[in-house]
């Protein structure tokens, strides 16, 4: 069963239970109120009779006609259905109100006995043909005799009212249930429309592999809207990842094909009868390309390990020691460039020492590559707003603004012509970014063409 109908049925069931319980409470309260009203009428009528038939006003011996004539009049308009009758000790009805006519009230012997015992009792009795009456019995003390006063009121109007109330409640429950199912189905279908749209979009993507499609939700920012937006963001992210993967495969293939082509060409040359100098040149070329290919593969493996979340160790790392070690190594590779240390604070972070050294080494290599001879490279370390900030600043050729957003993509190269050497694989900055993020940090760059660049690594202290 679709979730739309399950939700509708559950809501309708809950609504039905709530209405039934409310109806039961209303029915009970109304029935109790009407019953209390009848009992109050009986008490008032009984008190009137007792107040009228005082023992000193009834002559001896008892004259039932006089008693009958002394009964207070029953106003059918003010108290409809009020009946009075008197019962002697033999169970005979000796006096009754005129509105009873030839009929008489039902008599319960147990109640009569209680009346003669001096108790007051109220009870509902059957009066034939489905009718019911509410009776109140009490002892009536006269001069020489005790009678039982029975005051009763018909419950026909109460039963008729409660019957109409029951039918009204049942009709209301059925109508509310039908309305809840009809309207609930429409409301739930409308509320779940974005889910259906997400399903159709996912099906289209699955059948066509077209990740450019989106749900394009337009509606309130509720849970469904959040789901649709999250789905679009997920597809957008997958689209970006797949496109990046395509470029990655192409770039990796290209970077590996070039040294393989050189190796194969030189192997073909070695099969020929070459002179010793040509043979050595071919071997040097093969060694250089083998080294280049090995470095590319090693970088790819490292990048895969870092991006997969693998960590070798988690130690307390002194960034100042890493900076000084990187400075010493960089001075050996810098040539005529000036490599110096700027501000150095003694800052420690938790992380992988080897990979943090690799991060700084890649930044230094990148700075050396794009800084001309006699240029300067400065390494700085300090704290900034709760972060450890490691800066590598160079006075190199700088980076055009339109390339800054892509610098940390794998195999991305701004312009091979701007480098002194085209042997870079384009993975160095991608590794820097991956290692920084693995350490819950980030890397940023600020650059201006012709004035140099500053790469900043931010790590949580």
């Amino acid at each position: 069963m679709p979730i739309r109908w399950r939700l509708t049925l559950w809501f309708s069931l809950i609504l039905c239970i709530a209405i039934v319980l409310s109806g039961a409470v209303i029915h009970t309260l109304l029935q109790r109120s009407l019953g209390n009203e009848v009992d109050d009428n009986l008490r008032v009528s009984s008190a009137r009779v007792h107040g009228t038939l005082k023992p000193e006003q009834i002559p001896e011996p008892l004259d039932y006609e006089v008693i009958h004539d002394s009964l207070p009049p029953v106003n059918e308009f003010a108290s409809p259905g009020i009946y009075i009758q008197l019962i002697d000790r033999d169970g005979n009805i000796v006096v009754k109100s005129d509105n009873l006519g030839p009929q008489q009230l039902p008599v319960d012997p147990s109640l009569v006995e209680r009346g003669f015992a001096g108790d007051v009792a109220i009870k509902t009795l059957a009066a034939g043909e489905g009718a019911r009456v509410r009776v109140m019995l009490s002892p009536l003390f006269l001069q020489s005799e005790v009678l039982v006063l029975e005051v009763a009121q018909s419950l026909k109007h109460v039963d008729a009212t409660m019957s109409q109330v029951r039918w009204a409640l049942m009709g209301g429950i059925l109508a509310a249930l039908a309305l809840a199912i009809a309207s609930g189905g429409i409301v739930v279908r409308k509320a779940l429309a974005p889910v259906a749209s997400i399903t159709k979009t996912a099906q289209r993507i699955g059948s066509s592999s077209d990740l450019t499609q989106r749900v394009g939700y337009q509606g309130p920012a509720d849970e469904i809207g959040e789901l649709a937006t999250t789905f679009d963001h997920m597809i957008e992210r997958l689209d970006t990842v797949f496109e990046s993967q395509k470029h990655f495969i192409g770039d990796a293939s290209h970077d590996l094909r070039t040294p393989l082509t050189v190796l194969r060409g030189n192997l073909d040359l070695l099969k020929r009868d070459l002179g010793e100098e040509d043979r050595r040149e071919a071997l040097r070329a093969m060694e250089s390309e083998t080294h280049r290919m090995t470095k590319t593969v090693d970088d790819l493996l490292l990048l895969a390990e870092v991006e997969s979340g693998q960590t070798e160790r988690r130690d307390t790392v002194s960034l100042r020691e890493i900076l000084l070690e990187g400075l010493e190594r960089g001075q050996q590779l810098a040539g005529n460039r000036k490599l110096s240390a700027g501000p150095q604070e003694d800052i420690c972070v938790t992380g992988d020492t080897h990979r943090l050294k690799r991060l700084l080494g890649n930044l230094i290599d990148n700075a050396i590559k794009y800084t001309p001879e006699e240029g300067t490279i400065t390494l700085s370390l300090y704290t900034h707003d709760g972060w450890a900030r490691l800066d590598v600043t160079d006075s190199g050729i700088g980076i055009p603004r339109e390339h800054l957003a892509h610098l940390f993509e794998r195999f991305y190269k701004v312009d091979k012509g701007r480098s002194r050497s085209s042997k870079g694989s384009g993975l160095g900055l991608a590794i820097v970014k991956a290692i920084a993020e693995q350490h819950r940090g980030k890397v940023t760059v600020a650059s201006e063409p012709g004035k140099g660049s500053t790469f900043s690594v931010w790590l949580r202290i």
Side-chain angles (χ1 to χ4, degrees), residues 231-384:
F231 180 82
D232 279 350
H233 288 166
M234 180 188 69
I235 297 300
E236 183 178 357
R237 176 64 175 168
L238 288 175
D239 188 22
T240 303
V241 170
F242 287 162
E243 286 298 319
S244 175
Q245 186 181 43
K246 291 178 183 178
H247 293 305
F248 167 74
I249 293 174
D251 293 337
S253 301
H254 179 271
D255 273 53
L256 292 175
R257 185 188 300 119
T258 301
L260 287 173
T261 301
V262 174
L263 287 173
R264 186 170 59 185
N266 282 279
L267 283 173
D268 290 339
L269 286 175
L270 290 175
K271 293 178 182 178
R272 302 176 183 178
D273 187 12
L274 298 176
E276 184 64 22
E277 185 64 26
D278 291 336
R279 180 175 172 275
R280 290 180 179 177
E281 182 64 27
L283 289 175
R284 282 196 297 270
M286 292 176 65
E287 183 181 10
S288 174
E289 294 303 323
T290 301
H291 176 75
R292 176 182 175 183
M293 186 167 57
T294 301
K295 184 177 185 306
T296 300
V297 173
D298 289 342
D299 286 346
L300 286 173
L301 289 175
L302 175 61
L303 188 60
E305 289 178 0
V306 174
E307 290 184 344
S308 67
Q310 298 181 23
T311 55
E312 294 181 0
R313 302 179 59 181
R314 284 290 182 183
D315 300 319
T316 301
V317 182
S318 172
L319 294 180
R320 186 171 183 271
E321 292 181 3
I322 291 179
L323 183 144
L324 294 177
E325 184 177 332
L327 183 65
E328 182 180 352
R329 170 185 170 276
Q331 286 173 342
Q332 299 173 2
L333 304 174
N336 293 328
R337 300 168 192 82
K338 181 182 179 182
L339 189 63
S340 61
Q344 303 173 44
E345 295 185 19
D346 192 6
I347 305 173
C348 293
V349 298
T350 301
D352 187 325
T353 304
H354 174 72
R355 289 183 177 172
L356 289 175
K357 288 181 180 180
R358 179 64 181 273
L359 177 151
L360 180 59
N362 283 5
L363 290 178
I364 294 174
D365 291 344
N366 188 74
I368 292 174
K369 184 184 300 182
Y370 296 111
T371 301
E373 295 289 342
E374 309 301 334
T376 59
I377 300 171
T378 305
L379 309 184
S380 303
L381 175 64
Y382 52 94
T383 58
H384 182 83

Side-chain angles (χ1 to χ4, degrees), residues 400-454:
R401 181 182 300 272
E402 62 270 18
H403 295 288
L404 293 179
H406 306 284
L407 279 180
F408 301 100
E409 296 177 4
R410 291 172 290 189
F411 295 107
Y412 186 83
K413 299 177 183 178
V414 177
D415 183 5
K416 289 183 180 180
R418 68 189 282 274
S419 171
R420 298 185 313 103
S421 171
S422 63
K423 295 183 179 181
S425 65
L427 293 174
L429 292 180
I431 292 174
V432 170
K433 178 176 181 290
I435 294 176
E437 291 179 348
Q438 184 189 39
H439 288 76
R440 298 184 298 112
K442 59 184 178 179
V443 57
T444 59
V445 58
S447 182
E448 187 174 345
K451 295 185 178 181
S453 306
T454 297

Side-chain angles (χ1 to χ4, degrees), residues 113-154:
E113 290 181 5
R114 290 181 60 187
F116 281 114
D119 295 334
V120 177
I122 298 180
K123 188 176 182 180
T124 300
L125 301 176
E129 298 182 1
R132 301 185 309 144
V133 292
R134 185 74 167 169
V135 298
M136 177 179 179
L137 283 81
S138 59
L140 181 61
F141 298 99
L142 301 177
Q143 291 186 0
S144 59
E145 189 173 349
V146 178
L147 302 177
V148 170
L149 171 63
E150 184 177 10
V151 181
Q153 183 173 356
S154 173

Side-chain angles (χ1 to χ4, degrees), residues 55-89:
E56 61 273 12
Q57 295 178 356
I58 305 300
E60 288 287 346
L62 292 180
D63 187 342
Y64 295 124
E65 291 293 334
V66 175
I67 294 176
H68 176 272
D69 294 338
S70 300
L71 290 177
V74 177
N75 189 337
E76 281 292 332
F77 297 102
S79 301
I82 295 292
Y83 307 102
I84 301 171
Q85 69 181 18
L86 298 176
I87 306 171
D88 62 12
R89 287 189 176 276

Side-chain angles (χ1 to χ4, degrees), residues 148-181:
V148 170
L149 171 63
E150 184 177 10
V151 181
Q153 183 173 356
S154 173
L155 295 179
K156 183 178 180 180
H157 69 289
V158 175
D159 292 340
T161 301
M162 295 310 301
S163 177
Q164 292 176 357
V165 169
R166 283 190 291 271
W167 280 108
L169 289 175
M170 290 177 60
I173 291 173
L174 294 177
L177 187 59
L179 181 62
I181 293 176

